[in-house]
Amino acid sequence: MSKTTLAVVAGVSALTGAAAAAALFSTRERKVSTPPVTTVVGAPTPTTPQPPVPISPFPSKAITPPVDPSGLFKYGFPGPVNDIHPTLSTTSAFDRRTRNPAWVAEHITPQSLAIGGADRKHSFFVEDTTIPPKFRAKLSDYFRSGYDRGHQVPAADAKWDQEAMDSTFLLSNMCPQVGDGFNRDYWAHLEDFCRRLTHDFPSVRIVTGPLYLPRREEDGKYRVSYEVLGNPPNVAVPTHFFKIIFAEDGRTGGNVSLAAFVLPNKPIANDKPLTDFEVAIEALEKASGLEFATKLPEQRKRKLCEQIKCSILVQEYADRQRNLQGRAPDRKGLPAPPS
């Protein structure tokens, strides 16, 4: 997905309904209707339509209403509930509707990646019991689904402690991902790219999560469509995934290099430049409904891919598994995209 495409798609995803999407994407010339203007005898006739007066969220004067809508809360709050869940290696918010995380945050440093106190063979996928049973993803949902249980925070980023690595195997850190060509390939190369950033930055923070983006269908209209796993259908299969990176220079009040990437949940050729998936942070925010770096002053922001070359290194899946057990893999470097 190109930067332009995601920017447009993100804008559409913020709208409601396929009709609005079709209207926005339509290239056909269309007439713009003007709201009717009512002329009142004795009043001046406006030359241009006047904008509607917004309704204040609060009464303009003291009113004692005859109803109490908020009285519902005495029976409980309907939601949405985000299930914020900090662990040793992650902090996440869970989306009960899709049974996937809304986002998962992590923090890696040269020191954390240098510690090798954990082994993946001792970790097992488990259901997250902090999520109510009727909303949590279950191991049976993934059984024979054809999808990988795709880590949002990878186990390789938490090798510094066995419990920290174990927490990355909670299903609240998983989403259904295409295996060959994506989770075991290009997505893993992106995870490796994030780790390699610690060669240039002393502190790297990463937020990862799923997206459900509209697609244009044969009738020209845009719709959001995704598969749902489980029996009964329980876990949504995202159409895309994002990673947003905060590479910190280590100084108090120092600069932060930012980059956001959005990848489709499908096989991606390893020779595809990583920068093809870079998107504007504002576009990602519109597409996800999330906000990033709202408290980071503009003067401290830098563009990551202008500070370093954003490119992947191809590493075979079997080699990566051996690396998690402390054995060095063989790597084949890909040329960096032209700057």
Side-chain angles (χ1 to χ4, degrees), residues 78-91:
V81 177
N82 291 319
D83 297 299
I84 302 298
H85 187 193
T87 72
L88 285 176
S89 54
T90 68
T91 295

Side-chain angles (χ1 to χ4, degrees), residues 310-326:
C310 292
S311 61
I312 65 169
L313 290 175
V314 175
Q315 182 180 337
E316 296 302 324
Y317 181 72
D319 286 338
R320 290 196 305 275
Q321 299 303 97
R322 287 196 296 269
N323 190 35
L324 281 177
Q325 300 174 14

Side-chain angles (χ1 to χ4, degrees), residues 198-220:
T198 60
H199 299 168
D200 299 290
F201 299 92
S203 174
V204 179
R205 302 182 188 275
I206 307 155
V207 183
T208 305
L211 293 170
Y212 309 87
L213 299 182
R215 180 178 60 183
R216 189 171 188 174
E217 299 185 353
E218 292 181 356
D219 61 2

Side-chain angles (χ1 to χ4, degrees), residues 65-253:
V67 295
D68 179 20
S70 297
L72 173 70
F73 299 154
K74 66 184 177 183
Y75 304 118
F77 177 67
V81 177
N82 291 319
D83 297 299
I84 302 298
H85 187 193
T87 72
L88 285 176
S89 54
T90 68
T91 295
S92 63
F94 190 76
D95 184 344
R96 293 182 173 188
R97 183 179 60 87
T98 63
R99 275 70 171 178
N100 286 322
W103 52 265
V104 190
E106 62 171 312
H107 181 212
I108 55 177
T109 67
Q111 293 76 20
S112 71
L113 295 179
I115 302 172
D119 192 326
R120 185 187 179 107
K121 69 182 180 181
H122 299 308
S123 297
F124 303 94
F125 293 97
V126 293
E127 297 175 12
D128 190 340
T129 57
T130 67
I131 308 297
K134 64 182 177 181
F135 296 125
R136 76 176 64 144
K138 299 176 175 60
L139 292 169
S140 59
D141 293 326
Y142 284 88
F143 183 66
R144 293 182 176 176
S145 68
Y147 290 92
D148 284 2
R149 293 164 290 198
H151 284 72
Q152 301 304 281
V153 170
D157 291 3
K159 292 192 297 182
W160 49 272
D161 179 82
Q162 189 63 50
E163 185 179 346
M165 179 176 283
D166 290 347
S167 67
T168 69
F169 282 81
L170 290 169
L171 290 191
S172 57
N173 184 47
M174 305 293 160
C175 290
Q177 289 186 327
V178 171
D180 290 335
F182 187 67
N183 180 47
R184 306 172 202 173
D185 294 283
Y186 205 97
W187 182 253
H189 305 327
L190 175 56
E191 293 171 338
D192 175 70
F193 164 75
C194 293
R195 287 189 288 273
R196 287 189 288 112
L197 288 174
T198 60
H199 299 168
D200 299 290
F201 299 92
S203 174
V204 179
R205 302 182 188 275
I206 307 155
V207 183
T208 305
L211 293 170
Y212 309 87
L213 299 182
R215 180 178 60 183
R216 189 171 188 174
E217 299 185 353
E218 292 181 356
D219 61 2
K221 296 182 179 180
Y222 286 79
R223 297 180 176 90
V224 177
S225 177
Y226 51 81
E227 187 177 350
V228 184
L229 308 183
N231 186 20
N234 198 45
V235 180
V237 179
T239 64
H240 295 73
F241 289 92
F242 72 85
K243 278 189 183 289
I244 181 167
I245 300 169
F246 303 72
E248 302 168 336
D249 67 8
R251 297 180 296 119
T252 301

Side-chain angles (χ1 to χ4, degrees), residues 1 11 37 43 60 77 285 314:
M1 173 179 288
V37 178
S60 58
F77 177 67
E285 290 176 330
V314 175

Side-chain angles (χ1 to χ4, degrees), residues 59-65:
S60 58
K61 58 182 178 180
I63 298 176
T64 302

